Amino acid sequence: MEKLKKYYFSRLSVDGVSLSPRQLWQYAKSKHLTKTSDDSADLPASKKNIDLFLKSQSHRTPFSRADRVKHFQTVGVPRAGMYHIDYGEFHKDWSGSNKGFTGFLVAVENFTNRLFVEPCKGKGTAEWLRAIQTFVELTRNVSVIFSDRDSVATSTAFRDGIAAKYKIEWNFLKKGNKSYLAERYIGLVKSRLSQTLNYRGGKKWIDLVPPFVVEYNKEKIDGTSYSRQSVTHANFLHFISQLLRVDDPELGFNGFKVGPFVTERWNKKIFKFNLGDRVVVARAANWKDGDEKLGQFKKVSMLGGFGHKNYTISGRQLRSTKARDRYVEVYSLAEFGSSMHFYAKELKLAGGDNNNNNNNNNNNNNNV
């Protein structure tokens, strides 16, 4: 571990890169540091020892992240170049030390998690266009962009311009934006930059971005022979076959959803809610009704976690996670349309007797 610790602090001091447990583990394997050394007092570089070492570093501790929801349905049919994109503000008051930059645009690929970070002087149209142009020209492998409904991206002229110039499809995430990839990776970038700044001191962060991104994209993707930066349109099917552990990934693309089932006994065992049930929706998950959704400055403790309006369960299904290691329960609500956007934890049975009556009348609808 001593050699690995020296390597960690060297990269931190010289390059400004705060290495992750995975990066240290991959380096340890490449340098054969995983075995016990001649010095009996020196511990081997195991995953456990690496984790204990990093947790003991005071410059990292304030920037560890709380656990989030673990399992989300995958986004559409897998294909190469599906990027999630968003803007993250970072110490706006430090812009004087960072050439006027107040944050960065983050783009992360859906399956490889290849990362792109471009410092920005705000989130206006001109800055988004400049950052996206840099992103597209650098990656050369962008087919679809997913974002939340940012004030810039909602402009039809803005999206039409992106489509015309780069032939890129732009889609919006209707809800759950705090759990989608770009939001999570904004947190990762902020944490890693903050770790380095906390260790080195100072306020200048823009020079730390390139080495961090380069190092991250060089990482080998677990379970595959590919690094994040080496996956292209040409080898995507081979990569995805390794990632999903299937011989024919194109055939498997159709298996990302199952149910509901003809046998109602199965539906009752698998699904928490029945068709026709009247439910209330978590405020954080409601993007449609202004009186029900959680505003930016409103607190759940004051309003309650769920709204008061009743909605009707109109569809239910099991959807695969991105890793294809499990299925998650999702629902559609009649008042929101047919898309399966709601997870079981975001819904709660409404009070009253309506649900008991609806269960018997609607259980057999829409089963396949």
Side-chain angles (χ1 to χ4, degrees):
M1 280 295 296
E2 292 306 314
K3 290 183 178 178
L4 194 62
K5 292 178 182 178
K6 290 180 181 178
Y7 173 70
Y8 172 80
F9 286 116
S10 173
R11 294 300 308 274
L12 187 61
S13 299
V14 178
D15 301 321
V17 176
S18 178
L19 296 173
S20 68
R22 178 184 294 182
Q23 289 168 333
L24 287 177
W25 172 243
Q26 291 183 357
Y27 177 81
K29 288 194 298 182
S30 70
K31 299 299 182 180
H32 308 291
L33 302 178
T34 58
K35 298 180 180 179
T36 304
S37 66
D38 295 335
D39 183 357
S40 58
D42 188 17
L43 296 172
S46 65
K47 288 184 178 180
K48 179 180 179 180
N49 289 334
I50 290 172
D51 187 54
L52 289 173
F53 161 67
L54 291 178
K55 285 181 177 179
S56 71
Q57 300 305 305
S58 60
H59 64 277
R60 297 178 69 98
T61 303
F63 307 101
S64 57
R65 298 172 59 204
D67 291 337
R68 302 191 181 199
V69 176
K70 293 182 178 180
H71 306 298
F72 296 88
Q73 61 179 313
T74 189
V75 180
V77 175
R79 52 174 157 163
M82 297 171 61
Y83 278 84
H84 294 242
I85 192 168
D86 203 358
Y87 172 82
E89 189 174 278
F90 190 64
H91 293 294
K92 185 177 181 179
D93 54 328
W94 292 359
S95 61
S97 300
N98 292 280
K99 300 180 180 180
F101 292 107
T102 59
F104 42 77
L105 182 132
V106 163
V108 56
E109 207 279 329
N110 193 56
F111 285 92
T112 65
N113 293 161
R114 182 181 178 182
L115 185 63
F116 170 87
V117 182
E118 177 68 13
C120 296
K121 297 177 181 178
K123 56 189 302 185
T125 301
E127 282 294 287
W128 270 67
L129 284 173
R130 180 191 62 78
I132 289 173
Q133 181 175 347
T134 303
F135 157 56
V136 172
E137 292 178 353
L138 179 66
T139 60
R140 300 282 182 181
N141 188 24
V142 184
S143 57
V144 184
I145 288 177
F146 291 94
S147 75
D148 59 6
R149 291 188 175 273
D150 186 272
S151 58
V152 173
T154 51
S155 164
T156 302
F158 177 84
R159 296 197 310 276
D160 288 347
I162 294 294
K165 188 170 183 178
Y166 301 114
K167 304 297 186 292
I168 293 175
E169 174 187 340
W170 195 299
N171 294 321
F172 291 119
L173 296 170
K174 290 187 175 181
K175 58 179 285 293
N177 64 297
K178 295 303 179 186
S179 66
Y180 86 108
L181 277 179
E183 184 70 25
R184 299 209 300 271
Y185 272 81
I186 285 173
L188 171 68
V189 176
K190 288 182 178 180
S191 294
R192 298 286 281 279
L193 295 181
S194 296
Q195 288 167 5
T196 300
L197 291 170
N198 199 33
Y199 177 79
R200 289 173 49 171
K203 298 180 179 180
K204 187 176 181 180
W205 56 265
I206 56 172
D207 59 336
L208 303 179
V209 171
F212 161 68
V213 173
V214 168
E215 192 70 26
Y216 183 81
N217 288 334
K218 282 165 38 179
E219 281 186 23
K220 186 170 177 284
I221 301 170
D222 290 344
T224 76
S225 59
Y226 293 88
S227 66
R228 303 188 194 283
Q229 64 189 15
S230 65
V231 179
T232 65
H233 279 290
N235 59 30
F236 179 75
L237 285 180
H238 185 252
F239 157 72
I240 207 73
S241 69
Q242 293 183 348
L243 183 70
L244 303 182
R245 299 180 182 178
V246 294
D247 294 330
D248 188 349
E250 286 187 308
L251 183 62
F253 288 170
N254 295 320
F256 272 66
K257 57 185 179 181
V258 293
F261 305 96
V262 173
T263 305
E264 188 54 34
R265 178 168 54 87
W266 293 3
N267 287 323
K268 286 183 176 296
K269 287 185 176 181
I270 292 171
F271 295 104
K272 181 177 180 179
F273 300 103
N274 295 319
L275 297 176
D277 276 354
R278 299 287 284 172
V279 296
V280 291
V281 178
R283 292 186 184 278
N286 193 327
W287 75 86
K288 184 176 181 181
D289 294 321
D291 293 336
E292 296 283 297
K293 64 185 180 181
L294 188 65
Q296 183 177 2
F297 301 106
K298 296 179 181 179
K299 296 181 179 179
V300 171
S301 59
M302 296 174 63
L303 296 175
F306 288 83
H308 298 285
K309 187 175 180 178
N310 292 357
Y311 301 93
T312 307
I313 299 286
S314 58
R316 54 189 176 178
Q317 202 165 64
L318 295 178
R319 293 280 180 89
S320 174
T321 60
K322 183 175 67 176
R324 305 273 321 258
D325 59 351
R326 69 188 69 226
Y327 285 92
V328 294
E329 192 179 340
V330 292
Y331 296 88
S332 61
L333 302 179
E335 296 80 2
F336 285 77
S338 60
S339 297
M340 304 278 182
H341 283 305
F342 295 93
Y343 297 93
K345 288 186 177 181
E346 297 173 335
L347 305 173
K348 188 176 182 180
L349 283 174
D353 298 327
N354 288 337
N355 289 310
N356 293 331
N357 297 329
N358 285 332
N359 287 349
N360 295 327
N361 296 329
N362 295 286
N363 278 341
N364 295 319
N365 294 336
N366 297 331
N367 288 334
V368 294

